[in-house]
């Protein structure tokens, strides 16, 4: 299945010079969602995962899809101030600004998921946040990896993705 055909390119969003990869058309396609639910975790040992941690906001969609499809719990990694206390927080740099993420503390083994890996700031912050909050990060996956913007690794290997640009 050629998922790139279901990705819309939006130039100059959210700022001039940024090419936004819109996954909304993919989300409308049930066959594509089933395909993503399987392909996104190829190479992940799901027996070693208790929870899927999805990064706000599109990572929530993919995280819930994976959690439900594979019988795992879901952990929301949210923007600062959106979760009830107690929370653990982490600030980080974006390719076009700064932000902060929060997570409720806990325990268990997690798979971190997001929609797009650009420069790696958000995903790196989410992995570190999970560890600070008491979770053991077993792996990280993204739907789209913009490889021309990063060379991010998890435990010495490329971040798993379904679509690469």
């Amino acid at each position: 299945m050629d998922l790139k055909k279901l990705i819309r390119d939006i130039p100059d969003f959210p700022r001039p010079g940024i090419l936004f990869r819109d996954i909304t058309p993919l989300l409308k396609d049930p066959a594509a969602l089933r395909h993503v639910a399987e392909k996104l975790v190829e190479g992940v040992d799901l027996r070693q995962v208790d929870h899927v941690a999805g990064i706000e906001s599109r990572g929530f969609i993919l995280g819930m899809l994976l959690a439900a499809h594979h019988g795992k719990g879901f952990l929301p990694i949210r923007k600062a101030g959106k979760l009830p206390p107690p929370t653990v927080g982490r600030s980080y740099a974006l390719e076009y600004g700064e932000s902060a993420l929060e997570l409720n503390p806990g325990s268990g083994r997690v798979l971190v998921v997001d929609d797009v890996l650009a420069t790696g700031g958000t995903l790196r912050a989410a992995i570190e946040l999970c560890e600070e909050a008491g979770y053991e990060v077993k792996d990280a996956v993204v739907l789209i990896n913009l490889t021309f913007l990063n060379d991010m690794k998890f435990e010495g290997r490329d971040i798993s993705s379904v679509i690469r640009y």
Side-chain angles (χ1 to χ4, degrees):
M1 176 175 280
D2 186 1
L3 295 176
K4 282 186 178 179
K5 291 180 180 178
L6 297 173
I7 306 295
R8 238 174 24 126
D9 292 342
I10 310 295
D12 298 320
F13 182 80
R15 291 201 166 139
I18 303 289
L19 178 62
F20 183 80
R21 304 290 184 173
D22 179 20
I23 66 170
T24 304
L26 182 148
L27 297 175
K28 291 179 183 177
D29 186 316
L33 287 175
R34 284 189 298 278
H35 184 73
V36 165
E38 292 298 326
K39 296 296 279 183
L40 206 50
V41 296
E42 276 186 359
V44 175
D45 184 356
L46 290 173
R47 296 168 301 178
Q48 298 295 313
V49 173
D50 302 309
H51 310 287
V52 177
I55 304 169
E56 188 170 349
S57 66
R58 291 176 306 270
F60 277 11
I61 298 165
L62 297 172
M64 286 296 296
L65 172 68
L66 293 181
H69 190 79
H70 298 287
K72 306 298 176 183
F74 177 74
L75 299 172
I77 299 175
R78 304 237 25 211
K79 294 176 182 158
K82 301 293 183 180
L83 286 173
T87 61
V88 177
R90 177 168 273 286
S91 297
Y92 64 100
L94 291 165
E95 58 273 17
Y96 48 83
E98 291 186 18
S99 193
L101 296 173
E102 290 182 340
L103 175 65
N104 294 119
S107 63
R109 303 166 301 175
V110 300
L111 168 64
V112 179
V113 63
D114 205 4
D115 64 328
V116 177
L117 172 57
T119 61
T122 303
L123 187 60
R124 192 171 291 108
I127 290 168
E128 293 168 358
L129 176 61
C130 286
E131 292 169 346
E132 288 174 29
Y135 298 97
E136 179 185 0
V137 178
K138 298 306 278 185
D139 214 333
V141 298
V142 295
L143 177 62
I144 300 169
N145 188 345
L146 305 177
T147 59
F148 60 92
L149 290 176
N150 75 83
D151 60 355
M152 188 172 172
K153 309 273 187 220
F154 180 80
E155 296 185 351
R157 63 189 184 329
D158 289 339
I159 299 294
S160 179
S161 62
V162 179
I163 302 167
R164 299 172 80 86
Y165 290 96

